[in-house]
Amino acid sequence: MRRHVKNNVSWVGYMDWELETFHGDDYSVDNGSSQNAYLIEEGKTVLIDTVWTPHRKDFVENLKKEIDLNKIDFIVANHAECDHSGSLVELMKEIPNTPIYCTPLCIKSIEGQFGKQNWDVHTVKTGDSIDIGNGKKLIFVEMRMLHWPDSMATYMTGDNILFSNDAFGQHYAVAELFNDKADQAILWREAMKYFVNIIHPFAPLVTKKIAEIKSLNLPIDIIAPSHGAIWRDNPMQIVETYEKWANAYQENQVTVLYDTMWGGTEKIAHKIAEEIETQSPETVVKVFNIAKKDKNDLMTEVFKSKAIAVGSPTAINDILSTVTGFLAFMKSLKFKNKKAAAFGCYGWSGESVKILQEKLKDAGFALVEDNVKSLWNPTDEDFAKIPELVKNLLA
Ligand code: FEO
């Protein structure tokens, strides 16, 4: 169960092959995941994080097979969310007097979730450090709102490992543990999906935090996140990629997203896609029915896009509920530097395009006023509006 990471550092986490969703059912998981916990055995023996609550008994039993639990000098809790702190209660039943190092908000959150504990908690802040023997120490770096208020990273000198917790992670079970052993296409797809759906709302903080970590001039040989592959091959590649992703990222892609009742709005979506192809063959065009695709994957496509077109028919004086939910989630992710246009069919009252436009503006998109609003089914006259709409979306 123990996996070697570097020198006296081992992975002692849980490989969650069966995981299908995360954060309840809010995040789809296609390639398994892992909750990474780490054991450091230097002059001091240190456990960094635990695993998700359902796996707490396996975690403690497995850890017992690896080490006499009483040998653990202290525990670092980088983050209170239960996928990392969820085995602490079970573990502390065995070693109730073991000190725990974490941020003040971390213990507050842990006790909020699991009840008041009488643990020997030592709160830390950025720059605090602990000697772990053999000339090495742990330095703590608060990662406030990346992605919870209590989040923290821990840096180990000597081996130059940044235990980054959620930052730089992916929901991806990598049997071989390391980024150079992972399937590169899956690794990067999952890293982006994770960034978009979990980290992106805090993108301005990512930029600041990376600048702060860089200013500490700490050599980084390994970035060991709390989910997915450990970055040992060129670990700074994920840091540099985060810098890019956090800065109003876009690719030369336009995505058309819609839902439809009787096919009219779908026809407009297809025509818009065709027109983008015609006007700009080098632009990647993708079309998705919002109701039929995974919302986290769709958000990743929006993230890559420089512009989107969103369509819904009018239904009960509103847009379809699938599109309402999609737009609400999209707003929460706080995308920047993207254009948007609206389209849709109607039979009588016809509010959908206006509602879509308002919601797209509200979600931070630069609205292209051109739109297609079709009575019943789109006509040639309606389609004739598409070239100008596309021209302005691409401009
Ligand atoms: Fe992986 Fe915020 O927990």
Side-chain angles (χ1 to χ4, degrees), residues 226-240:
S226 55
H227 299 287
I230 298 170
W231 302 88
R232 71 173 175 189
D233 175 42
N234 183 14
M236 293 310 282
Q237 66 182 309
I238 187 63
V239 178
E240 284 149 19

Side-chain angles (χ1 to χ4, degrees), residues 113-239:
Q113 294 172 86
F114 304 110
K116 182 82 186 145
Q117 310 292 337
N118 288 311
W119 297 336
D120 178 18
V121 173
H122 300 251
T123 58
V124 295
K125 59 183 185 316
T126 296
D128 288 352
S129 65
I130 304 182
D131 204 311
I132 54 170
N134 301 334
K136 299 176 184 180
K137 59 183 178 175
L138 296 180
I139 303 173
F140 302 110
V141 183
E142 288 167 86
M143 302 278 277
R144 194 175 271 249
M145 291 321 295
L146 291 175
H147 67 130
W148 271 26
D150 65 280
S151 298
M152 178 174 88
T154 300
Y155 176 79
M156 179 180 175
T157 67
D159 290 346
N160 305 335
I161 302 175
L162 180 68
F163 298 98
S164 60
N165 198 259
D166 282 328
F168 312 124
Q170 332 89 46
H171 285 306
Y172 176 21
V174 184
E176 302 83 359
L177 216 61
F178 296 100
N179 69 313
D180 49 299
K181 298 286 187 184
D183 178 312
Q184 296 302 297
I186 298 176
L187 174 70
W188 285 104
R189 187 166 69 241
E190 293 298 344
M192 181 184 270
K193 177 176 171 178
Y194 184 99
F195 179 87
V196 171
N197 287 277
I198 295 179
I199 307 288
H200 192 274
F202 314 105
L205 300 176
V206 172
T207 308
K208 272 196 208 155
K209 187 50 68 178
I210 288 177
E212 184 190 319
I213 291 172
K214 280 184 164 174
S215 75
L216 298 173
N217 276 324
L218 301 169
I220 294 177
D221 294 342
I222 289 181
I223 294 178
S226 55
H227 299 287
I230 298 170
W231 302 88
R232 71 173 175 189
D233 175 42
N234 183 14
M236 293 310 282
Q237 66 182 309
I238 187 63
V239 178

Side-chain angles (χ1 to χ4, degrees), residues 247-276:
N247 186 22
Y249 182 78
Q250 57 170 234
E251 297 176 12
N252 187 8
Q253 176 173 328
V254 179
T255 305
V256 183
L257 304 128
Y258 71 94
D259 196 359
T260 195
M261 289 172 79
W262 301 111
T265 302
E266 181 178 85
K267 281 185 191 142
I268 305 172
H270 291 180
K271 275 282 181 199
I272 291 173
E274 270 174 35
E275 184 61 27
I276 298 165

